[in-house]
Amino acid sequence: MDRRELLKQATVVGAGTALAGTGVSLFSPERGAQAAALRAMGLGSLKVITIVKTVNSDYWAIVLAAAKKAVADFGVQGLGYKGADSEANIAGQVALIENAIVQKPDILVLAPTSKVALNASITKAYKAGIKVILVDSAASTANYQAFLSTDNHA
């Protein structure tokens, strides 16, 4: 699989993860044939890790459940669905990212707890060839493939 195709597939999986957390479904029952076609594209070899800000939040629990659904819908391998014990635990999220890098996923879907403090770990994942998709919050590094968020401005 070439780089462009991998990036396209990573973006689709990341978008599916992000949208599923909002209640929007890419795969309604009417779209079952489309889901099957996507799985037939060979996405099954892709490995994905999802890291959210915390596991101790109803919102982030929904996002993790959505990530699991997106993995099932796309037929990819979910290697982990994790988060720190609080949104203030930046060191915990850094450790999760470092552990993810060791597992060598194709895609890391990450909701950064800090705009700056995770840059070194995000860059390390990016330089390791992992497609990094940021969700919800941005980071100040440019070393990621996609950023998915909502426009929360009034």
Side-chain angles (χ1 to χ4, degrees), residues 35 42 50 53 67 99 116:
T50 302
K53 295 180 181 185
N99 288 335
V116 176

Side-chain angles (χ1 to χ4, degrees), residues 72-153:
D73 286 348
F74 286 106
V76 299
Q77 300 173 47
L79 298 182
Y81 311 91
K82 302 174 185 202
D85 59 350
S86 79
E87 288 194 35
N89 188 354
I90 295 169
Q93 198 175 43
V94 167
L96 290 171
I97 296 167
E98 295 294 327
N99 288 335
I101 293 167
V102 171
Q103 293 181 58
K104 299 180 180 177
D106 298 296
I107 304 164
L108 173 62
V109 178
L110 173 66
T113 55
S114 168
K115 187 171 184 108
V116 176
L118 301 176
N119 286 348
S121 296
I122 292 168
T123 297
K124 185 175 178 182
Y126 180 86
K127 288 185 175 180
I130 299 168
K131 306 304 179 202
V132 178
I133 301 171
L134 303 180
V135 296
D136 185 65
S137 301
S140 58
T141 180
N143 293 320
Y144 58 90
Q145 277 71 25
F147 172 51
L148 307 167
S149 72
T150 59
D151 181 1
N152 291 325
H153 299 283

